[in-house]
Amino acid sequence: MSVTAPPTVLRRRTGIAAGAVLLALAATGCSGLGRTAVGPVSYTTEKDEVVTVHSPSVKGCHTMDPAGSGKVDNRTMIDMILYTTRDCSGRGTAYVATTFSDTNAPRALPWRSYSFVH
């Protein structure tokens, strides 16, 4: 004698299996998204224009206006490093903790790029 499950049990199992597959697909789809520094980074150009970047990626080097900036506000949730070069390299860096700002001295080189500490 063979025992078969009633139709409601089969539908429930099928629904659970389909839900598990959809959840797995959603999780793998979201894992490809890059992490961001939640919050804005603002800097002032030499023409006194304020540039604001909202939630930039924590990966890589971020360039600023070609002329650079003398004032940077880090309102993100991640610390950042400022560079005087356009490629986030070299000496003369500044560490700016989360929710802090940096203002250059009048004779200092302007900041031209930044990266995040992660």
Side-chain angles (χ1 to χ4, degrees):
M1 172 165 107
S2 68
V3 178
T4 57
T8 55
V9 173
L10 291 175
R11 274 185 264 161
R12 188 178 315 145
R13 287 182 187 163
T14 304
I16 291 171
V21 168
L22 288 174
L23 182 61
L25 288 173
T28 54
C30 291
S31 68
L33 298 175
R35 288 188 12 207
T36 63
V38 177
V41 171
S42 298
Y43 62 90
T44 306
T45 67
E46 68 176 5
K47 296 178 183 178
D48 288 329
E49 296 172 338
V50 177
V51 177
T52 302
V53 180
H54 293 278
S55 298
S57 172
V58 296
K59 296 180 182 177
C61 179
H62 302 275
T63 57
M64 296 182 185
D65 185 76
S69 174
K71 183 177 188 303
V72 178
D73 294 316
N74 180 11
R75 299 292 176 239
T76 69
M77 303 193 87
I78 300 179
D79 298 349
M80 64 190 299
I81 300 174
L82 302 174
Y83 300 87
T84 56
T85 61
R86 303 249 324 139
D87 63 354
C88 295
S89 67
R91 297 181 181 190
T93 63
Y95 187 94
V96 183
T98 181
T99 71
F100 279 84
S101 300
D102 181 85
T103 303
N104 269 353
R107 299 177 110 174
L109 291 173
W111 304 120
R112 290 194 167 93
S113 63
Y114 61 94
S115 64
F116 290 99
V117 178
H118 62 97

